Structure formats: C-alpha cells, structure tokens
Amino acid sequence: MKRLIGLAGLLVAACSSPERTAAEFAADPEAAVRTVAECDAGARHPDCSAAREGLAEARRRERMDVYARTIGEP
C-alpha cells in the first residue's frame, strides 16, 4: 500500500508542469501576463512570484529600449 501511494505521488509530480524562472517569464512576457492574471484571480501557481518578477524585468527592458531609442543610443 505504501508503495502504491509513493508511486501515485511520483506520477502526480511527473505530470505537473515544471516551475518556470523569472528569466523565462521575462523572455515570454505574454505568458507572464497570463500567469499573473491567473494568480490575481486566485489561482495557486507555484510560479506566481517568478511570473511577477519576469514581467517586471520585461517591462524594465522595454522602457530601457524606448529610452535608448529616444536619446539615439544603439
């Protein structure tokens, strides 16, 4: 019985999606926006904080790109 419970736990862990990092969310801001919206709606994702950090980083990069274009830097 204990083996069956352990096997069931391993199967559930194997089927769940792996946690994404903030860098992965920064590279894909659309996924970060979706995940943050789901988290704000009450969904419990293990990567909510990573999505928020990644979204903030993506927005920071976007602002810096606009700033660089405005002042004429490459």
Side-chain angles (χ1 to χ4, degrees), residues 55-74:
L55 184 58
E57 177 63 21
R59 289 178 175 166
R60 185 196 68 78
R61 287 180 188 168
E62 185 179 326
R63 284 190 310 271
M64 291 304 293
D65 289 344
V66 169
Y67 174 74
R69 284 192 306 264
T70 301
I71 63 170
E73 289 187 13

Side-chain angles (χ1 to χ4, degrees), residues 26-46:
D28 187 7
E30 292 177 5
V33 168
R34 283 192 307 272
T35 304
V36 168
E38 290 172 3
C39 293
D40 289 345
R44 294 198 165 211
H45 288 284

